[in-house]
Amino acid sequence: MLLQVQQVTRRFGAETLFADVNMDIPDNGRVALVGRNGAGKSTLIRIIAGIDAPDKGQIVTRKKLTLGYLAQDTGLDSNKSIWEEMASVFAALQAQEDQLHELEAQMSDPDIIADPDQFEQVTTTYDRIQSDFKANNGYGYRAEIRGVLHGFGFNEPDYDRSVNELSGGQKTQLALAKLLLEKRDLLILDEPTNHLDVETLTWLEGTSGLTRARC
Ligand SMILES: Nc1ncnc2c1ncn2[C@@H]1O[C@H](COP(=O)(O)OP(=O)(O)OP(=O)(O)O)[C@@H](O)[C@H]1O
Ligand SMILES: [Mg+2]
């Protein structure tokens, strides 16, 4: 079980929006919340995502659950380029990559080569970082970014475009792309498909296990 909604109630003033809601999100589950406009879907979703507190009841999650949330009608807001935004998910890998390059430079430095102890130390550090880098898909993360961006219709010529010059729909797509790259345990998306065409939806369903249901 990833998450459980237990007897959750939300009131606004004297109005009860919903009362005693129970819901389970099982491992690998896909749950769609369907209701008329104003029914309280976004309000419940914000409670589930931990952004708002319920008036009564509680949300119980699996230990160390990582959760991604995309609010209704929002998108990525950034001065960075599309590529920089996506690559920022892999900042730790990029830092390791810089370290590896630095160590490579040291390994070809004649002074270090001439000193067996120092050379040994540099190569040992290099091996350790490289094996970690490899295990975390260090050699594959760029391909991963390209794959996800391609799924949303962004290709090489778009990579350097600034996020803040894109349309609202494109910003939503990029927020979703970033969430997919972050690989959270649970994604909570409030009407994410409003800005997606059928082709993108079909790709997304295959990629991430999302259903086409509105939520
Ligand atoms: N902070 C608030 N104070 C008072 N009323 C609120 C507040 N937030 C939401 N509401 C009311 O709660 C109701 C449910 O809103 P909510 O946004 O959860 O609906 P929804 O089901 O997501 O609708 P939609 O399909 O249009 O997105 C609405 O009537 C809204 O006006
Ligand atoms: Mg809503």
Side-chain angles (χ1 to χ4, degrees):
M1 185 72 64
L2 287 178
L3 184 147
Q4 244 179 351
V5 178
Q6 298 176 347
Q7 303 285 109
V8 162
T9 297
R10 184 72 170 114
R11 301 186 195 94
F12 288 117
E15 287 280 306
T16 299
L17 190 56
F18 44 78
D20 299 323
V21 172
N22 291 299
M23 191 168 99
D24 291 345
I25 304 180
D27 289 337
N28 302 312
R30 309 166 180 195
V31 177
L33 202 53
V34 182
R36 61 174 170 75
N37 293 129
K41 303 179 295 296
S42 295
T43 305
L44 180 58
I45 279 179
R46 276 199 301 276
I47 292 172
I48 294 171
I51 292 159
D52 293 337
D55 292 306
K56 200 175 130 280
Q58 58 180 350
I59 306 296
V60 178
T61 64
R62 198 184 68 190
K63 271 206 185 91
K64 293 186 183 166
L65 181 83
T66 58
L67 191 149
Y69 165 68
L70 184 66
Q72 183 169 357
D73 295 327
T74 52
L76 209 54
D77 180 22
S78 166
N79 295 322
K80 291 187 198 156
S81 71
I82 292 178
W83 184 266
E84 282 170 339
E85 265 301 325
M86 299 303 123
S88 70
V89 172
F90 303 96
L93 281 176
Q94 288 183 310
Q96 280 188 323
E97 208 164 26
D98 292 344
Q99 271 181 302
L100 288 174
H101 288 144
E102 168 63 21
L103 291 163
E104 277 161 14
Q106 289 181 20
M107 285 190 288
S108 56
D109 178 337
D111 288 344
I112 292 177
I113 294 171
D115 180 342
D117 283 350
Q118 216 187 341
F119 189 75
E120 162 84 23
Q121 201 195 340
V122 171
T123 51
T124 307
T125 310
Y126 186 87
D127 288 346
R128 182 174 50 77
I129 295 174
Q130 194 195 33
S131 99
D132 197 44
F133 181 73
K134 209 169 162 181
N136 289 308
N137 196 27
Y139 295 107
Y141 79 89
R142 287 192 178 80
E144 211 180 311
I145 295 175
R146 281 195 292 272
V148 170
L149 284 178
H150 179 73
F152 286 104
F154 296 98
N155 293 300
E156 201 91 37
D158 305 311
Y159 292 172
D160 291 333
R161 292 183 67 190
S162 177
V163 171
N164 58 22
E165 74 179 35
L166 302 173
S167 74
Q170 288 174 315
K171 288 176 182 169
T172 305
Q173 292 180 326
L174 287 175
L176 198 44
K178 204 172 165 186
L179 276 181
L180 293 181
L181 290 170
E182 285 169 348
K183 299 187 209 67
R184 308 284 176 98
D185 299 330
L186 175 61
L187 287 185
I188 299 179
L189 311 171
D190 197 345
E191 305 210 28
T193 58
N194 288 354
H195 298 287
L196 303 181
D197 56 27
V198 172
E199 196 187 330
T200 311
L201 278 175
T202 308
W203 168 79
L204 194 57
E205 284 166 16
T207 306
S208 63
L210 292 176
T211 61
R212 198 175 297 187
R214 279 164 53 97
C215 58

